[in-house]
Every structure is written in structure tokens, then in C-alpha cells.
Amino acid sequence: KAGVTQTPRYLIKTRGQQVTLSCSPISGHRSVSWYQQTPGQGLQFLFEYFSETQRNKGNFPGRFSGRQFSNSRSEMNVSTLELGDSALYLCASSWISGGSYNEQFFGPGTRLTVL
Amino acid sequence: QQQVKQSPQSLIVQKGGISIINCAYENTAFDYFPWYQQFPGKGPALLIAIRPDVSEKKEGRFTISFNKSAKQFSLHIMDSQPGDSATYFCAASINRAGSYQLTFGKGTKLSVIP
């Protein structure tokens, strides 16, 4: 079974631009979560999608948004990029929602650099 | 507000030694405590996890010890090997309306020297 894939792997943007990152979950997984990883703040939860609906959101400004498609693939968008948005953006998928916790499988991440 | 505190930030252990990483949490609503291992250029991978109704869980060379009253848990890596050199993150999960959100510690960079 293929793992979580994220594209692109690396991205360089300038301040003020916007960016869209893509995540394809493991086949059969319906929940997709996004995390931001930086040296200073560590791994921080951005949001989680299930069945095309955002069910949970972390403490990030509205510039960060996402969506999920009917095939469970997800995208996240960051508008009006700031230097502080430079980070590794990780996508994680799990196979079921609700009930007991299910393992989140992480992709390799997209390294975003904002100049 | 850091809800999961992890220590130490870095750890150097000799091959064959025991690596110990500690975490403490504040929110008693957390109900699942996984440990992740991350190698450079890779995403975190689940190593081992525990629920708060269990005090210890062992999988191979990896053991989690959990102290619910102290709100602390730790990872022990026995017979540490150079291949274990990686960054380790403790995490805690909370259920928000069916959505499981992971809160991570800041990570421990483990170096196992031959």
C-alpha cells in the first residue's frame, strides 16, 4: 500500500504570494490532518478534514485554509505569505474517524521557504 | 501555552546504552499518548503508543512508562543502536467532536555513538 504522498516536496515563494500544497492520503483513509513544523514552535496542528468537512482547526490565522475532495485528497492554501510561514508542512491520514484513536500516518512533508 | 513538555532537547548515548526521554502534560482530557520517530527529510513515524489506563507498554527495545497521577510519561530505548539516531517526539491526543488532534512535545534529538 502506498503511503501518504505530498506535492511538491520543496517550494520557494516570496512574501505576499500565496501557495497551495497537496496531500494524497493512504487508500481508504478518509481523515486528513495538516501540521506545521518549525524549529522554534515544533509540530503544530493546523486543521483536520473528514468527508470534505473541516472538523477541527488549530490556532492559526485565517490566511491558512484547506479543503478536502470527494476522493479524500486534500489541499492547504496559505495566502499573503509571511517570512514566518517558512516551515515543513506535514499531512497525516488515518483510516477512520470517531470512536477510539486511530494512528495518523505522516507524509514526507512539503518544505516551504518564503523569501 | 505548551501543553506537552519534553526533555531533554538532545541526548547522546553510547551504543548498547539506555536512552530515556521524558514528557509531562497538563490537560487531563488527553486520552492517547504516542511517540513518533523522525529521521531527517522524512515525516514522523509512529513508534509506540499507550492509553492512560495502562502503566507500561513494551514493544521490542522500546518501552513507554506512564504515570497518570503525575501526568508524566517516558520512552525508554534499551540497547540503543546508531540506527536509533533520530528526533523523537512525544504527543498527546484529544478527541474534539470525533476529530483526533495531536499535541506534540518539542522533540529530543538522540545521537547514539558507536
Side-chain angles (χ1 to χ4, degrees):
Chain A
K1 218 177 207 182
V4 177
T5 57
Q6 293 187 244
T7 55
R9 291 294 311 278
Y10 303 91
L11 208 48
I12 300 175
K13 292 286 187 179
T14 56
R15 280 186 304 172
Q17 288 187 309
Q18 75 165 19
V19 66
T20 299
L21 312 180
S22 181
C23 171
S24 293
I26 292 171
S27 179
H29 286 197
R30 296 170 62 193
S31 170
V32 174
S33 298
W34 288 88
Y35 293 83
Q36 181 196 64
Q37 185 174 24
T38 60
Q41 298 301 314
L43 280 149
Q44 293 185 288
F45 173 77
L46 279 157
F47 28 64
E48 188 254 358
Y49 286 87
F50 175 76
S51 291
E52 303 176 63
T53 301
Q54 184 184 90
R55 299 194 301 175
N56 195 6
K57 188 175 181 353
N59 294 325
F60 279 84
R63 300 185 297 108
F64 291 82
S65 63
R67 59 177 175 168
Q68 186 181 35
F69 302 95
S70 58
N71 62 358
S72 295
R73 191 178 68 85
S74 178
E75 290 181 346
M76 69 162 282
N77 183 279
V78 187
S79 62
T80 319
L81 284 166
E82 301 177 359
L83 295 178
D85 297 334
S86 294
L88 180 68
Y89 289 88
L90 292 157
C91 166
S93 74
S94 60
W95 73 281
I96 199 171
S97 66
S100 58
Y101 179 85
N102 290 277
E103 177 184 351
Q104 294 189 26
F105 293 84
F106 283 83
T110 294
R111 172 73 63 185
L112 172 64
T113 301
V114 182
L115 303 177
Chain B
Q1 181 190 7
Q2 186 184 353
Q3 295 193 56
V4 179
K5 294 184 180 180
Q6 183 172 348
S7 62
Q9 278 187 305
S10 62
L11 183 60
I12 300 175
V13 173
Q14 285 221 304
K15 179 183 175 181
I18 302 174
S19 304
I20 302 174
I21 304 171
N22 300 299
C23 285
Y25 63 97
E26 299 164 6
N27 191 342
T28 55
F30 288 136
D31 59 3
Y32 192 77
F33 300 87
W35 284 88
Y36 282 83
Q37 178 189 56
Q38 186 176 29
F39 292 103
K42 305 284 188 182
L46 180 68
L47 198 58
I48 187 172
I50 198 167
R51 295 194 180 278
D53 54 350
V54 176
S55 61
E56 185 174 282
K57 183 175 181 180
K58 184 176 181 180
E59 288 184 2
R61 297 184 294 108
F62 301 92
T63 300
I64 299 179
S65 297
F66 188 86
N67 186 329
K68 188 175 181 179
S69 60
K71 294 188 284 186
Q72 295 175 346
F73 58 111
S74 60
L75 175 70
H76 290 63
I77 305 174
M78 312 299 287
D79 187 26
S80 299
Q81 299 297 312
D84 297 331
S85 297
T87 300
Y88 292 81
F89 294 92
C90 63
S93 172
I94 190 167
N95 183 343
R96 294 190 191 280
S99 171
Y100 288 89
Q101 172 181 331
L102 287 170
T103 299
F104 287 88
K106 289 291 183 72
T108 296
K109 186 173 182 180
L110 172 65
S111 299
V112 181
I113 55 177

